[in-house]
Amino acid sequence: MLGCARLAALQQLEYRFNLLADTMIQPFVVGLVEITLWMAFFASSGQAELAGFGREYYLSYALWAAFISRVSTSWMYESLMIQDIELGTVNSVLVRPISFFEYYLGQLMGYKVLTTAISLMAPITLCLFLDLPVSLSRLPLALALTFYYLILVHVISMIIASLGFFFTRIHHLTVAKNITLWMLTGEFFPLDIAPEPFKSILTALPFSSAVFRPVGYLTERLPVSTIYEGFLSVTIGLLVLGPVAALLWNAGRRRYSGTGA
Amino acid sequence: MTKIIKKYTYLFVSFFKASLMAELEFRFNIAARIVTDIVWYIAQLSVFEVLFRHTENLSGWTLPETRVFMGLLFVTDSIFMMLFSENLDRMGEKVRRGELDLLLVKPVNSQWMMSFQKVSVAYIGNFLISSAWLAWSLSQIESFKPINTLWLLLTVPIGLSIVYAIRFLTSATALFFTRADAINYIWYQVYRLGTRPDTIFPQILRYMILTVMPIAFLASVPAQIILGKSGPQLLVLGGTLSILLVYASSRFWKYGLKSYSSASS
Amino acid sequence: MINIETENLTRTYETYRKPEGLLKSIQGLWARKVEQKVAVHPTTLSIAKGEIVGLVGSNGAGKTTLLKLLSGLIHPSGGSAKVLGYAPTSRDPEFLKRISILLGQKNQLWWDLPPADSYDLLARIYEINPIEARSRVRELAELLQCSEQLHVQLRRLSLGERMKMEIIGALLHQPEVLFLDEPTIGLDIIAQTTIREFLATYVKERKPTLILTSHYMDDISLLADRLLLISQGSIVYDGSVEEFVAKAENRQTLSLKLLNPPTTDVSIAGHFQLEAGTRNIKVELAANVIGDVLQALMSLSPVQEIKIEEVEFEDVIHSFMQQDARMRASSSAPAARV
């Protein structure tokens, strides 16, 4: 599987312009766009604080949320997985000794490690430049949770990709899923400013470990217990969705008609 | 001239019918697309619904006004997605696979073909839902004059042309770069700028989205005009920009074709 | 009447060498080695109206590039081309209505639609009367024996059936100039034969100017009047098929059985070595030495089952290619001239 990670890294380096855009330009742009929303909010609301945190805090949150959510979203490899099944090129993966799951998990991780390492510079620079609150010593633990969450993301990708055995052209599910996750992860706003009962539900779900928990921890909004809770809820998610993915995959392979190449 | 218009109209209708036939095959997909966009609508709306719990005013916009803005965004977006999403999003793929070749040997305008070949008929559902939302949110504003909806006949085509041109320009970079997924992602971010009322942004950015990357004409400017928050003067700017940008897209396309070299043998 | 003419037409690609390994790949982020590759060397050609030209060459020789240059799909790096009086790259709609290109396994028809619907769309694009178009489709489909599949979605058809549909699509607007790039590649024998025979009938009736590339010599020998051999971007032979076979060292295959195989290795009239114990002999020789070889063999032992055959066109091409490759590898001398 390490070989797959290395393969992914090599492939990405090949398209250097893309890599640049993906890791540097994109997080910058997203971060700035979200920051402007919060700046506008504090400028027009006449408030100095929201839920106990000041303007600078939310700017920092918005920035880190943009960056971390990029790390914890899988669209590219999921699309590749779906495409493989759709076009029938999955055949070439199925005959290899490594499983489809491992093959793509390796690639996903390889890619994420590479792009995370490079784009880390973006939010760090901006935070220092704009003097925004962040506790960099907390970064390793925050990232650990995010990467652990990625495994859950990959399991969900497997579920969606397996549906490709039953339905043709399911790429829209990826989009739907990602947009739904958008809302559930806390990318747009810290989940604890949402009204009840949303607030409780959203924080309890494993998806809060995608953005809200790691960023909340990193920006000192939340204590370290949030990370432990995050690990727990993601593990529960894996225990629930893992078997579902396995079941679907096997059922799908049985049904597989082998269209295409 | 009429012969050309007739030909392209016939073609468009044929593409529409063909797309409809093709898409009806994938019922699951149609449902998925509608669900996807409803989720997107909820996501977009939720940000403002939550924020407005903590403030009355956001850079000069109230919650009812923001809802109208979102309604306009959704309506224009659904039309844009219906006409162009499939074509422009897949352009990079087509170019990469060398499928562009088969288009270039036909006696039709290749840019037009690339842009209109497939109509994503499923978005009609979204168009209906978003129009309903727009109508409802407009009805919630006491000072609203229904006659102002006529402005939509101008603002929507202008907004669509501008968004089309910008999207086309980004997609056409596929002629130069073999893989441009990241450019697509940048496009989504530019588009994102259009999903917020322009007054939210700092002055420089606001200026940019009204001129250089005039995404403000997607929803922000139309909303202001229809709500009476500003006069229609901006439409003159919008109209000019839309013509310039579409022209630029055409020139860029021709330039790109020259450097285009087909994939593999 | 000349339909296609080129003058010093050439095409060069820029490509870079992909570095090996992770470290070099990171280096590749800012430093890349660019290489110039010539796909087509300056080529001057003239093809008359109604001529059927077979373009033959090994993979990567430049066949498809040449076709793309002539159809206007890619711009030449130098020189010029004129097809039907137009510069192909002008992409004049009037020009495009009169030509057609079929590229191997690429589909121009819409994947999710039945071919019949795709043809309706094509009819609009080429401004053909829809009723007239449908009757043309019927005619062509009958000849290609695929009328039943016209209303089945393209993606559900087999490769052979898809190819037939693509051919119909390419011929729908009755092009005067036709470029066919590997029309029978990857197809089963029956499909190949059907398509081949169809094309033979079609070109006899309609007399288009046709440039055909193929790896199957049967396509070329059945259809083409003129043969262009292309090697590493250069045309190394331009003449008729018969001339080529005649010129390329009139060779024949001799097969026979020896009743009494030799007990030791022996040289046969100085033309080849016969190993001890060999009973069955099959050898390719220049026609003028067959007599000597036969005499030498018959003096060794009584012979049975003598057969003398003309060498297959395919084998001539192959041996030419091999010879050409060898000459190129050994020196940077120009390619083998026939």
Side-chain angles (χ1 to χ4, degrees):
Chain A
M1 202 163 63
L2 262 172
C4 297
R6 196 167 162 277
L7 173 70
L10 278 175
Q11 281 179 330
Q12 294 312 314
L13 287 168
E14 184 71 343
Y15 299 102
R16 52 190 176 164
F17 183 86
N18 259 22
L19 189 63
L20 187 72
D22 211 18
T23 56
M24 299 287 266
I25 303 176
Q26 203 273 326
F28 263 116
V29 174
V30 172
L32 286 176
V33 171
E34 294 306 313
I35 280 180
T36 54
L37 183 61
W38 287 105
M39 278 167 61
F41 173 82
F42 279 99
S44 17
S45 68
Q47 285 171 241
E49 274 195 357
L50 175 60
F53 290 89
R55 189 186 98 129
E56 269 62 39
Y57 174 80
Y58 284 92
L59 300 187
S60 179
Y61 183 91
L63 182 63
W64 283 99
F67 163 69
I68 297 275
S69 84
R70 280 289 291 143
V71 176
S72 56
T73 317
S74 164
W75 51 274
M76 184 162 72
Y77 281 103
E78 189 169 306
S79 299
L80 285 176
M81 287 160 76
I82 293 174
Q83 206 173 63
D84 247 6
I85 292 179
E86 206 177 276
L87 294 176
T89 48
V90 68
N91 288 326
S92 58
V93 180
L94 292 175
V95 293
R96 288 187 207 154
I98 189 175
S99 79
F100 187 76
F101 179 83
E102 287 167 325
Y103 177 71
Y104 276 106
L105 181 61
Q107 292 219 2
L108 177 70
M109 288 303 186
Y111 174 68
K112 289 295 181 188
V113 168
L114 176 67
T115 53
T116 304
I118 298 180
S119 57
L120 208 61
M121 297 191 253
I124 292 179
T125 316
L126 271 175
C127 269
L128 293 173
F129 186 65
L130 297 170
D131 195 21
L132 301 174
V134 67
S135 172
L136 288 175
S137 60
R138 294 187 168 196
L139 191 58
L141 205 52
L143 281 178
L145 180 59
T146 315
F147 272 85
Y148 186 59
Y149 170 79
L150 266 178
I151 303 179
L152 182 63
V153 167
H154 187 61
V155 168
I156 297 177
S157 297
M158 276 297 280
I159 294 178
I160 294 185
S162 302
L163 287 175
F165 284 123
F166 301 90
F167 308 101
T168 33
R169 299 233 243 136
I170 51 159
H171 141 266
H172 297 287
L173 266 183
T174 308
V175 181
K177 174 210 81 176
N178 283 347
I179 299 177
T180 315
L181 289 182
W182 237 4
M183 278 199 299
L184 303 177
T185 56
E187 181 185 340
F188 288 137
F189 48 82
L191 294 176
D192 51 14
I193 68 169
E196 291 289 5
F198 297 110
K199 176 174 158 186
S200 304
I201 300 175
L202 291 175
T203 29
L205 287 173
F207 309 110
S208 57
S209 300
V211 179
F212 176 59
R213 288 186 192 275
V215 177
Y217 176 64
L218 188 59
T219 51
E220 293 175 345
R221 188 191 189 93
L222 301 168
V224 72
S225 57
T226 193
I227 299 289
Y228 302 140
E229 285 163 22
F231 272 104
L232 181 63
S233 68
V234 172
T235 309
I236 296 177
L238 283 171
L239 289 172
V240 170
L241 289 178
V244 173
L247 257 158
L248 260 180
W249 173 257
N250 287 323
R253 281 197 59 178
R254 264 178 272 132
R255 196 181 188 276
Y256 187 42
S257 62
T259 343
Chain B
M1 189 65 195
T2 36
K3 191 170 167 230
I4 296 178
I5 296 180
K6 243 184 153 190
K7 170 174 172 176
Y8 284 94
T9 314
Y10 262 139
L11 277 175
F12 182 73
V13 172
S14 302
F15 287 141
F16 188 88
K17 276 197 262 173
S19 303
L20 185 61
M21 281 192 282
E23 253 185 77
L24 287 176
E25 268 274 297
F26 302 103
R27 295 160 296 180
F28 180 76
N29 237 37
I30 295 178
R33 227 183 288 223
I34 294 181
V35 168
T36 305
D37 265 35
I38 292 179
V39 173
W40 188 67
Y41 294 162
I42 296 176
Q44 296 291 315
L45 289 169
S46 68
V47 179
F48 290 106
E49 298 290 333
V50 167
L51 281 181
F52 274 105
R53 276 182 187 272
H54 303 276
T55 183
E56 284 281 311
N57 172 303
L58 194 60
S59 298
W61 294 75
T62 61
L63 180 56
E65 288 173 342
T66 311
R67 287 183 180 146
V68 170
F69 165 80
M70 298 305 284
L72 269 171
L73 173 66
F74 298 157
V75 167
T76 319
D77 173 75
S78 66
I79 302 176
F80 176 77
M81 293 302 266
M82 181 160 52
L83 293 176
F84 302 119
S85 63
E86 180 94 22
N87 299 310
L88 298 182
D89 288 347
R90 292 232 171 157
M91 188 145 85
E93 209 182 291
K94 288 209 163 90
V95 170
R96 224 184 317 133
R97 289 214 199 123
E99 283 175 26
L100 180 57
D101 298 350
L102 300 164
L103 222 51
L104 291 177
V105 273
K106 299 207 169 44
V108 256
N109 184 308
S110 56
Q111 178 179 1
W112 192 91
M113 283 293 275
M114 277 306 228
S115 309
F116 288 97
Q117 252 188 111
K118 212 143 189 241
V119 179
S120 301
V121 176
Y123 283 99
I124 288 183
N126 300 329
F127 175 74
L128 294 170
I129 295 174
S130 51
S131 301
W133 171 267
L134 178 62
W136 174 81
S137 57
L138 281 171
S139 69
Q140 299 296 300
I141 300 195
E142 285 165 27
S143 57
F144 174 67
K145 289 186 224 112
I147 189 116
N148 278 356
T149 39
L150 284 177
W151 282 117
L152 289 177
L153 291 172
L154 267 181
T155 62
V156 170
I158 289 177
L160 275 175
S161 321
I162 289 177
V163 177
Y164 162 76
I166 300 178
R167 181 48 170 149
F168 187 83
L169 282 165
T170 53
S171 296
T173 52
L175 290 175
F176 300 94
F177 305 114
T178 21
R179 251 186 62 191
D181 313 308
I183 292 201
N184 282 340
Y185 217 81
I186 290 176
W187 150 253
Y188 297 135
Q189 301 316 312
V190 170
Y191 192 80
R192 215 168 173 176
L193 287 171
T195 62
R196 304 275 149 85
D198 67 310
T199 46
I200 280 178
F201 301 113
Q203 206 45 32
I204 307 172
L205 196 54
R206 215 184 142 211
Y207 181 74
M208 274 178 68
I209 63 171
L210 279 170
T211 54
V212 180
M213 285 182 310
I215 199 86
F217 286 93
L218 172 65
S220 198
V221 172
Q224 288 173 46
I225 293 176
I226 198 177
L227 287 169
K229 286 164 83 76
S230 86
Q233 308 90 311
L234 275 177
L235 278 184
V236 176
L237 174 62
T240 320
L241 283 171
S242 68
I243 296 174
L244 280 174
L245 279 170
V246 173
Y247 178 69
S249 71
S250 155
R251 297 288 313 184
F252 186 65
W253 179 248
K254 293 208 171 91
Y255 175 70
L257 285 181
K258 279 221 180 97
S259 93
Y260 169 66
S261 68
S262 320
S264 72
S265 64
Chain C
M1 156 118 174
I2 302 293
N3 264 2
I4 301 177
E5 55 183 341
T6 74
E7 193 165 325
N8 290 325
L9 187 67
T10 176
R11 169 74 183 179
T12 321
Y13 284 111
E14 241 181 42
T15 164
Y16 74 96
R17 205 176 270 277
K18 189 195 176 314
E20 293 255 328
L22 193 56
L23 224 62
K24 288 250 173 81
S25 287
I26 297 180
Q27 247 188 329
L29 278 175
W30 57 83
R32 285 194 174 180
K33 247 182 152 179
V34 175
E35 290 182 350
Q36 296 273 4
K37 180 178 183 282
V38 181
V40 173
H41 287 276
T43 304
T44 303
L45 281 178
S46 203
I47 300 177
K49 180 171 149 82
E51 260 198 277
I52 316 284
V53 177
L55 185 56
V56 174
S58 41
N59 287 331
K63 309 190 291 291
T64 311
T65 311
L66 185 58
L67 284 190
K68 287 184 173 172
L69 282 166
L70 292 175
S71 56
L73 281 173
I74 55 184
H75 277 65
S77 312
S80 69
K82 260 208 162 58
V83 177
L84 294 171
Y86 296 91
T89 48
S90 70
R91 296 192 49 242
D92 189 315
E94 291 310 311
F95 162 68
L96 294 174
K97 280 189 214 164
R98 293 161 71 186
I99 68 161
S100 190
I101 183 164
L102 190 81
L103 291 167
Q105 289 186 312
K106 297 219 178 99
N107 300 310
Q108 69 155 338
L109 302 181
W110 280 261
W111 191 241
D112 296 312
L113 294 178
D117 296 328
S118 289
Y119 299 142
D120 279 341
L121 278 169
L122 283 175
R124 294 248 179 261
I125 289 176
Y126 284 98
E127 295 168 28
I128 308 169
N129 179 309
I131 301 174
E132 161 86 32
R134 292 212 188 119
S135 86
R136 285 188 205 171
V137 168
R138 263 196 304 271
E139 218 185 285
L140 293 167
E142 247 182 73
L143 284 171
L144 278 166
Q145 300 166 25
C146 60
S147 310
E148 273 125 47
Q149 283 89 34
L150 283 176
H151 296 279
V152 177
Q153 283 147 342
L154 193 72
R155 62 183 160 86
R156 296 224 175 105
L157 298 175
S158 70
L159 188 60
E161 290 162 340
R162 259 184 271 150
M163 204 42 167
K164 292 180 185 174
M165 298 304 174
E166 292 291 338
I167 291 177
I168 296 177
L171 299 177
L172 186 64
H173 57 289
Q174 293 176 339
E176 288 167 53
V177 173
L178 190 51
F179 300 110
L180 294 180
D181 192 16
E182 312 266 8
T184 53
I185 195 164
L187 303 182
D188 61 82
I189 288 287
I190 300 179
Q192 276 183 34
T193 320
T194 316
I195 290 177
R196 206 170 283 144
E197 285 168 3
F198 163 79
L199 284 173
T201 316
Y202 183 85
V203 302
K204 248 195 283 253
E205 285 180 19
R206 299 256 170 228
K207 301 200 208 302
T209 310
L210 166 63
I211 301 187
L212 164 74
T213 74
S214 184
H215 274 122
Y216 300 118
M217 295 310 134
D218 285 343
D219 287 346
I220 306 290
S221 53
L222 183 65
L223 296 166
D225 316 314
R226 182 169 162 191
L227 178 67
L228 285 175
L229 230 50
I230 185 167
S231 170
Q232 311 224 41
S234 301
I235 305 277
V236 296
Y237 177 79
D238 180 357
S240 75
V241 173
E242 292 88 16
E243 257 177 61
F244 176 78
V245 176
K247 250 192 185 177
E249 286 189 23
N250 206 353
R251 294 177 76 79
Q252 290 172 329
T253 315
L254 171 68
S255 353
L256 50 76
K257 234 188 187 155
L258 288 173
L259 221 49
N260 305 326
T263 43
T264 53
D265 290 356
V266 62
S267 160
I268 306 293
H271 290 291
F272 67 95
Q273 274 291 100
L274 190 63
E275 271 178 29
T278 313
R279 189 184 288 277
N280 294 309
I281 299 177
K282 186 172 182 178
V283 65
E284 201 187 291
L285 299 162
N288 53 356
V289 307
I290 295 249
D292 293 337
V293 168
L294 207 51
Q295 254 191 338
L297 286 169
M298 292 202 317
S299 64
L300 263 181
S301 127
V303 295
Q304 291 177 316
E305 296 176 26
I306 305 179
K307 239 194 314 189
I308 301 181
E309 298 168 301
E310 294 294 323
V311 170
E312 294 276 349
F313 174 54
E314 179 138 8
D315 299 329
V316 178
I317 298 274
H318 283 165
S319 63
F320 167 79
M321 293 292 184
Q322 280 174 334
Q323 189 189 16
D324 175 54
R326 249 178 279 133
M327 283 184 68
R328 283 198 163 258
S330 62
S331 68
S332 48
R337 295 275 151 188
V338 183

